[in-house]
Amino acid sequence: MEHGTTLTQFIIEEQRRIPGATGDFTSLLNDILTACKKISCAVNRGGLIGVLGSAETENVQGETQKKLDIISNEVMIDALEWTGHLAGMASEEMEDPLPIPKHYPKGKYLILFDPLDGSSNIDVNLSVGTIFSILRCPDGVEHPAVEDFLQPGSKQVCAGYALYGPSTMLVLTTGHGVNGFTLDRSIGEFILSHPDMKVPAETREFAINMSNQRYWNAPVSRYVEECLKGAEGAREKDFNMRWVASMVAEVHRILTRGGIFMYPGDSRKGAENGKLRLMYEANPMSFIIEQAGGASSTGRQRILDVQPQGLHQRVPVILGSREEVQRVVSYHNDTDGDGSRQVA
Ligand code: AHM
Ligand code: MG
């Protein structure tokens, strides 16, 4: 029976095109896939195995962790620490990078991950996902410190996400376009189902948490106001709005049918740079979106060019269809100063 190209086969064929490739990266990806299948299984069984609900602990961001946040984090660590392909790991759920235990061999890559993004959606049975970003460990570094992880997103070797939705999908880029794979549970393999994904250039859909509207800066307010005016306003067309509160689902929708996603900084204390984390969310998603022909910006700078200052730093995110992102960026450029004025 024909099952199509597996993700492993796809990666091995890609690897054959790279002279001198050792197969390390392919093996690392395979280990990530295994972890994502295990997380998918736990998410899928949910209430049947008692993994829903709060763990009543807080992560480094001060956010209450779900049981599945902790389980997913452990699954990622267990699947990756022993493999010999990594020099270090960092997770949204852990304050410091996790060194590779002494008794395991070390490799040349660093991985950063958000083990279960959008986990506020878990208990209501909506889509969540795992996001990961792979960097090269700087030459000569055996015990990577925080600074070794603080590389701009443009240095990523690979970025991807697993989406645990009606189907489980794995979407990834190694810098040569974006491909999507669907988990065929009958054979336990991810099969190429969405080759060469492209973000449609033009869109009529935007995604932003509207409940924060009163705190937005002028450029973001202007953009959304114009969308809301629809055919009667400057845009001369009607827009639709979506907010899943799960970035993986949001980015997947944009890769499928276009749109713009924004989690801007706002005027609240502590929210100046928005909510999303540069290293675990913004960088990997920006790499994917750019590789699919879209754009990603803080409003003032390409996200992939941001020089990270801290492992858990937050960054304003405006990503999606190129023309829309460029429009929001141009509104930032039109604004004097820091763009923090509210639209009257
Ligand atoms: P998380 O990593 O704690 O799950 O938070 C990130 C999520 C994103 O997936 C989503 O875009 C955003 O938080 C939703 O935020 P809000 O609660 O403001 O709707
Ligand atoms: Mg997250």
Side-chain angles (χ1 to χ4, degrees):
M1 190 178 150
E2 181 58 59
H3 277 295
T5 307
T6 67
L7 180 42
T8 310
Q9 188 182 347
F10 181 87
I11 299 296
I12 289 175
E13 279 169 9
E14 286 236 309
Q15 180 197 304
R16 284 192 188 134
R17 287 192 221 128
I18 307 167
T22 58
D24 255 15
F25 177 69
T26 307
S27 306
L28 173 59
L29 265 179
N30 259 320
D31 300 326
I32 296 171
L33 297 190
T34 305
C36 292
K37 284 184 215 170
K38 286 184 179 165
I39 298 171
S40 169
C41 197
V43 167
N44 194 252
R45 295 178 74 199
L48 295 176
I49 51 172
V51 294
L52 300 185
S54 166
E56 277 156 30
T57 49
E58 278 191 359
N59 67 8
V60 51
Q61 337 274 340
E63 298 156 345
T64 305
Q65 291 174 302
K66 300 279 181 187
K67 287 182 196 165
L68 270 169
D69 283 322
I70 296 175
I71 293 169
S72 306
N73 196 47
E74 281 166 5
V75 168
M76 290 295 278
I77 294 168
D78 288 350
L80 298 173
E81 66 177 0
W82 62 273
T83 60
H85 306 305
L86 291 171
M89 299 185 261
S91 163
E92 190 186 292
E93 300 297 332
M94 301 183 299
E95 184 150 11
D96 300 311
L98 194 72
I100 302 300
K102 283 198 185 69
H103 51 284
Y104 294 131
K106 289 218 185 72
K108 58 181 177 225
Y109 296 107
L110 301 173
I111 189 166
L112 299 105
F113 52 83
D114 180 353
L116 203 62
D117 183 64
S119 55
S120 68
N121 280 318
I122 272 290
D123 296 345
V124 289
N125 203 12
L126 290 176
S127 296
V128 287
T130 300
I131 310 173
F132 59 91
S133 161
I134 301 174
L135 297 165
R136 234 173 256 288
C137 187
D139 283 344
V141 173
E142 228 191 283
H143 303 287
V146 170
E147 305 75 71
D148 299 308
F149 285 83
L150 300 183
Q151 304 178 33
S154 55
K155 292 267 167 74
Q156 290 171 104
V157 175
C158 171
Y161 64 77
L163 170 63
Y164 313 115
S167 4
T168 287
M169 284 195 67
L170 203 299
V171 172
L172 101 162
T173 182
T174 55
H176 306 283
V178 178
N179 291 283
F181 303 80
T182 303
L183 180 61
D184 182 340
R185 289 188 193 275
S186 66
I187 55 166
E189 291 277 6
F190 283 98
I191 305 292
L192 181 62
S193 52
H194 295 60
D196 199 17
M197 297 175 89
K198 291 277 180 242
V199 178
E202 209 259 356
T203 178
R204 289 162 183 254
E205 210 159 63
F206 68 98
I208 191 165
N209 185 340
M210 288 291 295
S211 69
N212 298 330
Q213 185 173 23
R214 65 194 182 284
Y215 306 114
W216 294 341
N217 61 26
V220 170
S221 297
R222 175 180 169 192
Y223 178 82
V224 174
E225 212 166 89
E226 287 178 358
C227 291
L228 294 175
K229 288 208 172 111
E232 287 85 57
R235 301 302 305 272
E236 297 177 342
K237 60 181 181 181
D238 291 332
F239 280 78
N240 197 358
M241 197 204 85
R242 286 287 178 273
W243 187 249
V244 190
S246 184
M247 192 190 193
V248 177
E250 230 88 62
V251 166
H252 195 71
R253 185 186 63 247
I254 288 172
L255 279 172
T256 310
R257 65 179 194 215
I260 186 168
F261 166 89
M262 294 183 279
Y263 214 116
D266 66 43
S267 61
R268 284 170 297 172
K269 198 167 176 341
E272 298 82 356
N273 289 314
K275 174 180 182 190
L276 300 175
R277 270 70 31 147
L278 175 63
M279 305 302 287
Y280 311 106
E281 292 155 333
N283 269 345
M285 291 311 205
S286 300
F287 191 22
I288 292 170
I289 287 288
E290 282 200 7
Q291 282 294 316
S296 179
S297 171
T298 65
R300 306 212 167 265
Q301 187 183 13
R302 180 184 175 227
I303 285 186
L304 294 181
D305 288 337
V306 173
Q307 175 57 51
Q309 305 296 327
L311 213 45
H312 297 284
Q313 89 180 65
R314 296 171 198 263
V315 71
V317 175
I318 296 157
L319 61 74
S321 297
R322 178 164 290 277
E323 287 173 18
E324 297 302 311
V325 174
Q326 278 168 352
R327 177 179 286 269
V328 184
V329 170
S330 76
Y331 292 175
H332 281 78
N333 294 339
D334 287 351
T335 315
D336 295 328
D338 65 1
S340 60
R341 286 179 290 128
Q342 295 282 317
V343 165

